[in-house]
Amino acid sequence: MFAIYKREVKSYFDTMIGWVFIAFLMVVTGIYMYVYNFYYGFPYFGYTLYGIEFLYMIFIPILTMRSMAEERKGKTDQLLLTSPVSATQIVLGKFFAMATVLALALVPFFFTPILISSYGNGSYLIDYSTMLTFFLLGCVYIGIGMLISSLTESQIIAAVGTFVVLLLLHLWPSLMNLLPTSSASTAIGMALLLALVCLVLHSMTKNIILALGVGIIGILAIVISYLTQAEWMDGGLVTLMSQLELAAVLTDAGYNYILDVSGLILYLSLIFLMIFVTVQMMCKRRWS
């Protein structure tokens, strides 16, 4: 795994991807920091991190687009899959390499609370906890981009697909306002989500009995809940889907000064899930 990690990190800095990623992130962050922290006088660097979260949907697709797609296009994935390295080690090596590039881009940020405090009343605890949240959110997005890259051999498709997903996540609060809140609409929406889960499950396992079993059990649970506790389902779809508002944890940390430990656990869980699913996709290619 360490050999793959070193190769990936080196490849990002042998090309312009790593340098451009770090340079643009630092330049834009510097502009936002000047406006928020020095021009308007906000005392916390968390305001800046909260304001630049949208940069992830621009830079993360560029960072992750080649992670798996390039291997598939160049057929070097077949060499990796037949080497004495597990799929888990391959995926972890690539993920940690991209996380390292992100971490290097954030290193200069560690000095900003000191700079801000020298001009006023800053808070190291708030700023550094927001940095941790910002970094973990970036790792979640890296996991999403890596998974999408594993589904195609086209770097362009991987980049566009990742951008679309991150854009939807960025616009998620506004999209939630468009969802119906009635119990019937909630039941229909949950059934559609269940169908999507069953399709993904069948695509990953090729086990139609398992997918149908999960679907039937889920439909029965939805129907029973609707018939017996319809009032409980009012607004249930909005409540369920609002859990995917990933940036809310960063908003709490950077804007409301609240460190959401459960949100950080959610980030770590999603990182594990993205890595796990990507490993399964690689294993599927190994045996196909």
Side-chain angles (χ1 to χ4, degrees):
M1 183 185 79
F2 188 63
I4 295 173
Y5 168 80
K6 288 196 301 181
R7 187 197 72 171
E8 290 296 314
V9 172
K10 185 174 183 296
S11 69
Y12 280 114
F13 292 102
D14 283 343
T15 61
M16 293 297 294
I17 294 178
W19 299 110
V20 170
F21 176 80
I22 293 175
F24 270 91
L25 188 60
M26 289 183 62
V27 169
V28 177
T29 302
I31 294 172
Y32 270 75
M33 180 181 173
Y34 172 78
V35 173
Y36 282 147
N37 299 118
F38 294 106
Y39 186 80
Y40 287 112
F42 291 126
Y44 305 123
F45 185 62
Y47 282 109
T48 299
L49 294 177
Y50 167 72
I52 65 171
E53 180 268 334
F54 75 93
L55 292 177
Y56 273 154
M57 68 180 182
I58 301 173
F59 294 136
I60 293 296
I62 298 174
L63 185 66
T64 61
M65 65 181 184
R66 59 177 293 275
S67 58
M68 297 294 181
E70 186 180 49
E71 303 282 3
R72 292 186 62 175
K73 184 177 181 179
K75 307 301 180 184
T76 53
D77 62 329
Q78 298 176 9
L79 179 62
L80 284 175
L81 291 173
T82 54
S83 63
V85 181
S86 67
T88 301
Q89 291 175 318
I90 296 172
V91 173
L92 286 176
K94 290 178 174 291
F95 174 81
F96 285 132
M98 290 182 286
T100 298
V101 175
L102 175 60
L104 290 174
L106 300 184
V107 166
F109 295 179
F110 280 87
F111 301 99
T112 55
I114 302 174
L115 181 61
I116 293 173
S117 296
S118 66
Y119 286 92
N121 298 320
S123 173
Y124 294 118
L125 180 61
I126 291 175
D127 285 341
Y128 286 123
S129 62
T130 306
M131 288 182 201
L132 175 62
T133 306
F134 187 79
F135 173 71
L136 290 179
L137 177 60
C139 289
V140 173
Y141 290 163
I142 286 174
I144 294 173
M146 183 175 63
L147 173 59
I148 294 175
S149 181
S150 71
L151 301 176
T152 177
E153 63 180 30
S154 170
Q155 295 186 38
I156 300 300
I157 294 176
V160 172
T162 303
F163 172 78
V164 170
V165 172
L166 298 189
L167 177 62
L168 289 175
L169 290 175
H170 183 72
L171 299 175
W172 204 254
S174 300
L175 296 176
M176 289 303 96
N177 295 329
L178 302 177
L179 290 178
T181 58
S182 66
S183 57
S185 299
T186 297
I188 294 173
M190 288 184 174
L192 292 175
L193 289 176
L194 179 62
L196 179 61
V197 170
C198 292
L199 286 174
V200 173
L201 187 62
H202 178 259
S203 175
M204 291 180 57
T205 64
K206 299 301 181 182
N207 190 331
I208 191 171
I209 296 178
L210 176 62
L212 286 176
V214 171
I216 292 172
I217 294 173
I219 288 296
L220 288 175
I222 293 172
V223 171
I224 292 173
S225 297
Y226 177 73
L227 294 178
T228 59
Q229 297 180 348
E231 69 283 354
W232 173 81
M233 299 186 71
D234 287 338
L237 182 61
V238 175
T239 302
L240 176 64
M241 299 298 289
S242 64
Q243 302 305 312
L244 294 177
E245 188 183 342
L246 300 183
V249 184
L250 179 62
T251 302
D252 286 338
Y255 193 77
N256 299 322
Y257 323 132
I258 300 173
L259 179 60
D260 187 355
V261 178
S262 63
L264 298 183
I265 295 174
L266 173 64
Y267 283 172
L268 293 173
S269 301
L270 289 174
I271 291 170
F272 174 81
L273 177 62
M274 294 300 108
I275 292 174
F276 174 77
V277 176
T278 305
V279 170
Q280 299 310 306
M281 296 304 299
M282 286 207 68
C283 289
K284 181 181 176 181
R285 285 182 56 79
R286 168 172 280 176
W287 301 113
S288 62

